[in-house]
Each structure stands twice: as C-alpha cells, then as structure tokens.
Amino acid sequence: MRFTPQIVERVRHLREEIERHNYQYYVLDAPVIPDVEFDKLFRELQELEANFPELASSDSPTQRIGGAPLKEFSQVTHRTPMLSLNNAFAEEEVIAFDHRVREGLGIDNVEYAVEPKFDGLAITLSYENGQLVKGATRGDGNTGEDVTANLRTINSIPLRLHANPPPALLEVRGEVLMLKADFAKLNQMQIAKGEKEFANPRNAAAGSLRQLDPRISATRKLTFFSYGLGVTEGITLPETHSAAMDYLESLHLPVCAERSVVRGSHGLMGYYQTIGSKRANLPYDIDGVVYKVNDLNQQDKLGFVSRAPRFAIAHKFPAQEALTEVLDIDVQVGRTGTITPVARLKPVFVGGVTVTNATLHNEDEVRRKDVRIGDTVVVRRAGDVIPEVVSVVLDKRPSAVREFEMPELCPVCGSHVIRLPDEAAARCTGGLYCPAQRKQAILHFASRRALDIEGLGEKLVDQLVDTHVIKTPSDLFKLGMLSLANLERMAEKSASNILQAIEHSKNTTLARFIYALGIRNVGETTAKDLARHFGSLDKLMEADEAMLQQMPDVGPVVAQSIVQFFRETHNREVVEQMRAAGVKWEEGQGWVAPPENAISGKSFVLTGTLPNLSREGAKEKIEAAGGKVVGSVSKKTDYVVVGSDPGSKYVKAQELGIPILDEESLIKLLSE
C-alpha cells in the first residue's frame, strides 16, 4: 500500500470517529453503533498505523492499550496545590459553613454548585494545545506521581480535547474510580485466577492506576470524572463553577450528571437528602457530597485557610454499620505511649472494606459500652475511615464472655502502665526506652526547643530507627560517620553536619534537657520551673510527689507524671548513658524562698516590648522576688507590665482597673 494524502485523511477520520464512539460509550453511556462495527474501525486504524509508522501519534486511541513497564513513577510538582476539603458530618455544621460564607461575602443568600463526592483517587490532567501531555496523582497536594501512561488507558479521558481552537493550556482536576459493575467483574476474574479479591472499588482503582506496567492498567476498567479547573492559558474563564463544568463537558471531558446549583443551607441539605436517597443505585461509590460557592470571584474573595478552601466543604454520609463477634481484646501502644484497647473481630464487610480490628478508644469506653470478649457488637466505620465498636447486642451475649483487663505492664517494653487522674487514656511510662515510642521520643529530644539537633528530621530518624542504628536518644551520641554515610541520601558532608550538630547539642541547659526527656505533662515552661526550683537533675530525679507539689503550678497530675517517669529503671539508664556521653549543663543550688516583699505572692502579666529587659528576663526577676507571671489578664491579676506595642491585655487591664507598670516602675517595685 502506497502512502497518499488519502491515507493521512483516512487515519485522521478513523481517530475522530473512534474517539467520538468512545465518548458516546464510556461517558454518555449511549453507544450509537454495535461493538462489532466499532471493532472494525479500530482494527482498520491499527493496520494503517502498522503499515505507515510515520503516522504514529501519542494521541491515537490505539495507544490506550498501554506501553512498556515503568521502573518507577517520577514526581510531578503541581502548578497550583491540590487542596483537601474540610468535612461536615451534621446539618449544624453545614448551616455554620453557609453562615461563614455569607459573613465573609457580606451577602444574605449564596449560590452553591453541588456534586457527589466520589470515593476514588484524585488526579490532575494537563492538556497543551488540546493534547494530553501529563497526568499525575494528588500525592501530598503539592507533589504527585506521574501516571500519564496509565491514564492514557482510561477510555473516558480524551487524549485530545474536542475544541477548535483548543486552549494553550488546560489543567483539569478530577477523580479516577471504578464503577461498581466493573469492580464486580474484576473480582470475578480474580477469583477465577485464584488470586486475592480487592476489598472495595476505591482500592481497586488506586491499585490499578499505580501499576508500573500500563498494560495491567489497561486490563482494569477505570473511569474518570472532572470536578474542577487548575491553571489555564488561552481561554476566558467562565464566571461560575457550574459554567466551568459545562465548558469541560463541551470539550468531551466527563463530568457528573448528578451535579446541580442550589441556594442557601436549605438548598444544600435538600441536595444532600436527594443524593443520599440515590446513593445505593448510583453506578459508582460516593461517601458524601461537595458544596462549592458557585461564583468564582466570590471563591477568590473567600480564599483559603491552612490547606483547605473557605469556599467549599465536603458533607460526609453517616458511617455504615454491621454486626460481628469480638474474638479478643488486646492493646496497642501509640507513638506517645497511649495504650489503646483494640477489639479483634470476626471479619465483617463494613462501608466497602473488610474489618478485622476496631478501636475501643480507652478503658472507660470499654466499661461504658460493656464490651466483652465473645460479644456480638455493632461495628461502624466512623467518618467512613476508622472502624469502631458502637454498641453491644446484649440479646446475643453468650454465658462464657470474658471482661477486658488493662495490662499493668506495657506489652512492648515491660514498663509500668499508669493512668493519671485527669486523663482517660492509660500510658506506658517507658518513654525513652519503649520501641513503640522510639521515633517520637527521639524527634522530641532533638527538636529546636529541646536539644536543638539541626538536621535531625523525621525522615532521618525513620531511617535510623528502622535500620536499628539507634534505639534511644542516648544512641545519638554514639553515632559515627560510617553509620550515617551508609544511610539512603546521606552524603559525607550531610553526615558530618549532623555529627557536628549532635556534638554541639551536648552543651545545653538543665531546663532544655528536662524538656527534651518528653515527660508527660512537662512542657517548656514547667521544665524551666523545675530546673530553677531544683537546680540539679539528681534532686529532681529523687523528688517525691509531695516535694514536687510545693512548686507553684505543679499539681498532682504533673507530679505523678514526673515521679513515674524517673521510677522506670529504663529511663534512668538512658539519662545516665547521655551523661556518660558528655551531655552537660550548668547546675545551681535550686530555689531559695525570697524574703517577704511587695512582690511576694503577686501575679503579673507582661505585654509589649520592654526597653531593656527581655520578656524572659523580666519574668525571672519577678519570680526570683516571689511573684508569679501569668499569661492572661483577669480580676485576680495584681499588675500588668506594659512595653511598646502592647496588645489586648493592656486594654483589658484598663477596663478592669488593674495597676499598670512600665519597665522603670517594675524595677522600682522589685527594688523595694
């Protein structure tokens, strides 16, 4: 066959026809020709491209079958962040959202674009001059994974936009998911092959999209829905979100047919109820609905808070529940030492996943719900995420049930488990030693307000602990160049800098060292008070609860935390290892009661910048004279010390008629 202009035109026509039929079939669900006729068109195009390789094109529908496997996904930095949404679970939260929006815009009635919240995987598509050039996962919101090759296998995603002329740049945000029917077929195939079934459509979609071999992705029937625009060039943006969705639809990008526009909180709740009633019959899984201020200029005015927009919110559906049996109750030790009872369950399918464990939160909850081993219980995926035991079905309780007992010793490290008077959670006291708390203890120890070991961040600590290089904070002072240089992404220069920072941290203060130990309820201020009061670590380690409570602002809970921490032999051993490694500080004689004077027992509040004294310096002078510095102004405050640029505390002091001092007046009062 000879290459002619007619061949070029035929290839172009076939590609347009095939993509038109793909759109009719996969997006509109309204095919206009039989499958056999579609197959004829597809085979003809394949043959022409095989005979004339010079006509090959990456946007040809024949390229959807997937290419060669990838070694790994490359990283993609999003042009604009892919932000998450805040959640609402109750009508009151939706009403509060509408109220905040109305206040922020200064209007009485707001128009919202509303749409289902898909339970899939968020992605972004980049089109340049109408052609799909890049597709990436959401990732952490700023950086995702390049999954372009796999996205090309999804028939509902156009490889070329239906526009003439197309925009120079169009970034489309949306969701990849697997329809319920396709999920059922996939699991049937898995069973037939003797392979593991997928737990739910979302997991199947995420796993399929992240296959390193696009040919595997091509065998999994995924679909896509657009829900927003990112960066654009070469087009005039619509004025509303709903119009933007209509524009995407005109480009043959799939958008959800269930979207709508409503007004006010009544409209939002009405849509929520409507979609909720349709949820079971929808062809895809949703876990709620999304509300967005429709006017894009109003969205810009409202802006963002933290990592979420002020103009949008996700209204989640109630959690789904199921009955199952409690096979056992044991405990897990968290990163901060929290001991959490966990129900081990007879496997049950809840909210789209098979649940075998559920949290019981704490001992009080176990008692309040009267959950016993052998009980039949109601299990719920709270917020569609965390499985929890809701209640016990007492009618089904067998005679041989057993009650849960909180262990006295940590199941991980053997340290004592205590529960402080004002806390619901029981905790392991082996803070510096317990493997479950290892990473958290080391990160806290090295943090800026503790020993300030620059460069020792979370990723490095993860490596050091996971490779068993260090077990406790004291092991940091045993690190050498070889142990660091062998770590991933750790060059010799970086390793040298870390070792220098560790060496520098050996010269510290007693207050910093006490804070670095991570004793429960001992923050930075309490650590300073303890250092000032006891003067030496040995005195603090030997203090009992009565001695500790002689200090201002140290009550029974803080005192018990300190005593229990130093009562653990493991913790004392780690402290001694650090001292032996050269960690040192200047010690003093400790607190000596000042003579009675005009300051004794008086409370002070500091606000603004003093001419000569730092805030900490003023506080030390007041406390040395027997006074107390507090953080807020109340009727019980005796003096407010004011510097330049004072805040609201100065205004409140004036309103309450509290005596106000400048630095000179404070010095004079201290000298009396």
Side-chain angles (χ1 to χ4, degrees):
M1 190 182 293
R2 189 167 55 87
F3 186 86
T4 65
Q6 289 77 13
I7 294 294
V8 176
E9 177 58 23
R10 181 58 180 167
V11 167
R12 185 195 65 77
H13 175 73
L14 285 169
R15 286 172 179 168
E16 286 186 358
E17 275 295 285
I18 290 169
E19 286 291 18
R20 182 171 71 86
H21 290 304
N22 273 336
Y23 178 71
Q24 290 289 138
Y25 186 95
Y26 293 106
V27 179
L28 300 182
D29 197 23
V32 293
I33 61 173
D35 287 351
V36 64
E37 295 299 319
F38 178 88
D39 291 340
K40 286 180 182 178
L41 295 174
F42 198 90
R43 281 197 299 273
E44 183 184 352
L45 178 60
Q46 282 181 313
E47 289 172 3
L48 287 172
E49 289 180 345
N51 292 328
F52 302 100
E54 60 267 37
L55 293 178
S57 173
S58 61
D59 64 351
S60 172
T62 60
Q63 299 304 303
R64 292 188 185 276
I65 59 173
L70 304 171
K71 291 184 178 179
E72 60 182 5
F73 295 115
S74 59
Q75 300 294 297
V76 175
T77 301
H78 303 308
R79 291 183 176 94
T80 57
M82 296 184 69
L83 300 174
S84 56
L85 296 176
N86 288 326
N87 292 326
F89 294 93
E91 182 176 356
E92 295 78 12
E93 293 172 280
V94 175
I95 293 171
F97 164 70
D98 177 56
H99 179 74
R100 290 194 302 272
V101 168
R102 287 188 287 108
E103 278 198 334
L105 296 175
I107 59 178
D108 294 329
N109 199 0
V110 178
E111 185 179 80
Y112 294 96
V114 291
E115 57 204 22
K117 183 180 182 297
F118 299 109
D119 195 12
L121 193 70
I123 64 158
T124 180
L125 302 173
S126 294
Y127 289 88
E128 292 179 7
N129 298 314
Q131 185 172 341
L132 177 65
V133 295
K134 187 79 72 177
T137 60
R138 179 183 180 274
D140 64 4
N142 292 308
T143 305
E145 292 176 315
D146 184 346
V147 289
T148 309
N150 292 347
L151 290 169
R152 287 181 179 277
T153 70
I154 301 175
N155 285 294
S156 56
I157 295 177
L159 301 177
R160 179 170 287 278
L161 297 175
H162 183 74
N164 188 22
L169 172 65
L170 185 74
E171 201 173 65
V172 182
R173 301 288 167 80
E175 198 99 355
V176 166
L177 47 90
M178 185 173 286
L179 300 181
K180 294 175 183 177
D182 295 327
F183 172 72
K185 291 176 183 175
L186 175 61
N187 267 346
Q188 289 171 5
M189 290 170 50
Q190 294 292 104
I191 293 170
K193 292 187 292 185
E195 295 179 4
K196 183 180 178 181
E197 295 179 68
F198 289 95
N200 54 59
R202 188 193 185 284
N203 285 1
S208 301
L209 188 62
R210 299 190 72 257
Q211 291 288 330
L212 291 175
D213 188 344
R215 291 170 297 189
I216 297 177
S217 298
T219 66
R220 312 271 180 85
K221 197 171 181 183
L222 300 174
T223 193
F224 169 78
F225 285 103
S226 310
Y227 60 61
L229 282 171
V231 176
T232 62
E233 291 176 10
I235 61 168
T236 301
L237 282 174
E239 293 182 355
T240 64
H241 176 79
S242 57
M245 294 300 97
D246 292 341
Y247 171 68
L248 291 179
E249 189 174 31
S250 74
L251 301 176
H252 285 191
L253 280 154
V255 294
C256 179
E258 301 294 334
R259 70 191 189 282
S260 186
V261 175
V262 301
R263 282 192 171 272
S265 59
H266 289 295
L268 297 177
M269 290 307 304
Y271 179 78
Y272 177 81
Q273 298 296 337
T274 299
I275 293 298
S277 66
K278 297 179 178 180
R279 183 184 183 188
N281 296 319
L282 291 173
Y284 41 75
D285 276 345
I286 61 173
D287 56 5
V289 295
V290 176
Y291 309 137
K292 300 175 183 176
V293 172
N294 197 27
D295 189 295
L296 299 182
N297 287 326
Q298 291 178 352
Q299 287 189 7
D300 288 340
K301 183 177 180 180
L302 290 167
F304 302 84
V305 54
S306 183
R307 294 176 60 83
R310 288 191 177 94
F311 56 81
I313 197 168
H315 189 180
K316 304 294 283 292
F317 287 128
Q320 298 176 17
E321 300 179 347
L323 290 182
T324 189
E325 181 185 341
V326 178
L327 302 178
D328 199 0
I329 300 175
D330 57 26
V331 297
Q332 289 180 342
V333 186
R335 285 168 61 92
T336 60
T338 304
I339 308 289
T340 302
V342 176
R344 306 302 180 191
L345 306 172
K346 186 176 180 180
V348 62
F349 198 70
V350 186
V353 299
T354 300
V355 171
T356 56
N357 303 310
T359 180
L360 291 165
H361 299 294
N362 54 60
E363 188 176 10
D364 285 351
E365 279 293 284
V366 178
R367 305 287 176 240
R368 184 180 68 81
K369 294 175 180 176
D370 192 23
V371 182
R372 305 184 189 185
I373 299 164
D375 271 334
T376 296
V377 294
V378 177
V379 178
R380 176 173 63 200
R381 290 186 67 211
D384 286 352
V385 176
I386 306 168
E388 68 170 345
V389 173
V390 180
S391 60
V392 175
V393 183
L394 292 175
D395 291 346
K396 295 179 177 290
R397 172 170 283 174
S399 58
V401 292
R402 291 183 290 119
E403 291 194 33
F404 166 74
E405 296 294 334
M406 180 64 73
E408 296 181 358
L409 300 178
C410 172
V412 176
C413 72
S415 298
H416 290 88
V417 171
I418 67 163
R419 181 177 167 187
L420 299 175
D422 68 336
E423 293 190 350
R427 297 181 184 278
C428 165
T429 54
L432 295 181
Y433 173 79
C434 182
Q437 304 174 65
R438 192 165 284 163
K439 292 180 181 179
Q440 185 67 27
I442 293 166
L443 281 169
H444 177 79
F445 185 83
S447 63
R448 186 168 62 85
R449 289 186 171 88
L451 257 66
D452 192 19
I453 303 177
E454 189 175 348
L456 195 68
E458 188 169 351
K459 290 183 178 179
L460 179 54
V461 169
D462 284 347
Q463 281 197 75
L464 289 168
V465 172
D466 292 343
T467 56
H468 309 292
V469 175
I470 60 176
K471 294 182 178 180
T472 72
S474 63
D475 293 333
L476 291 170
F477 303 101
K478 303 172 188 175
L479 287 175
M481 180 64 73
L482 184 61
S483 57
L484 283 174
N486 285 335
L487 297 176
E488 185 181 346
R489 297 179 183 174
M490 179 60 68
E492 186 175 332
K493 177 64 175 175
S494 300
S496 178
N497 290 339
I498 293 291
L499 292 176
Q500 287 179 21
I502 292 172
E503 188 64 28
H504 179 73
S505 73
K506 289 181 179 180
N507 293 305
T508 186
T509 65
L510 178 57
R512 277 181 174 270
F513 187 79
I514 294 170
Y515 175 66
L517 295 178
I519 304 169
R520 183 75 183 163
N521 297 308
V522 176
E524 196 177 357
T525 299
T526 303
K528 290 177 181 177
D529 292 342
L530 290 167
R532 190 181 301 116
H533 185 86
F534 287 96
S536 80
L537 184 64
D538 290 330
K539 289 180 181 178
L540 173 61
M541 291 170 69
E542 299 306 320
D544 58 24
E545 292 182 28
M547 292 173 63
L548 287 161
Q549 288 184 66
Q550 291 176 6
M551 291 178 56
D553 300 324
V554 173
V557 172
V558 176
Q560 188 177 351
S561 294
I562 296 167
V563 169
Q564 289 288 350
F565 181 88
F566 288 119
R567 184 176 291 171
E568 290 298 331
T569 305
H570 303 313
N571 291 335
R572 284 177 170 263
E573 286 174 352
V574 174
V575 169
E576 291 310 314
Q577 287 169 11
M578 286 189 279
R579 281 171 142 179
V583 180
K584 58 183 184 294
W585 53 83
E586 185 178 335
E587 296 192 337
Q589 64 176 355
W591 182 79
V592 177
E596 288 293 323
N597 56 62
I599 302 291
S600 298
K602 304 293 185 183
S603 66
F604 291 72
V605 171
L606 305 174
T607 181
T609 304
L610 299 176
N612 301 301
L613 289 174
S614 66
R615 184 75 64 90
E616 191 62 30
K619 180 181 179 183
E620 288 180 358
K621 287 182 179 295
I622 292 168
E623 290 177 345
K628 181 169 65 173
V629 176
V630 296
S632 59
V633 178
S634 69
K635 291 180 179 179
K636 295 181 179 180
T637 305
D638 294 297
Y639 298 100
V640 173
V641 182
V642 177
S644 60
D645 298 322
S648 59
K649 296 174 185 177
Y650 174 54
V651 177
K652 189 170 183 180
Q654 289 180 314
E655 291 173 352
L656 296 175
I658 295 169
I660 294 171
L661 307 175
D662 57 14
E663 183 183 286
E664 185 179 349
S665 302
L666 173 64
I667 298 297
K668 184 177 179 182
L669 188 64
L670 289 167
S671 66
E672 293 176 358

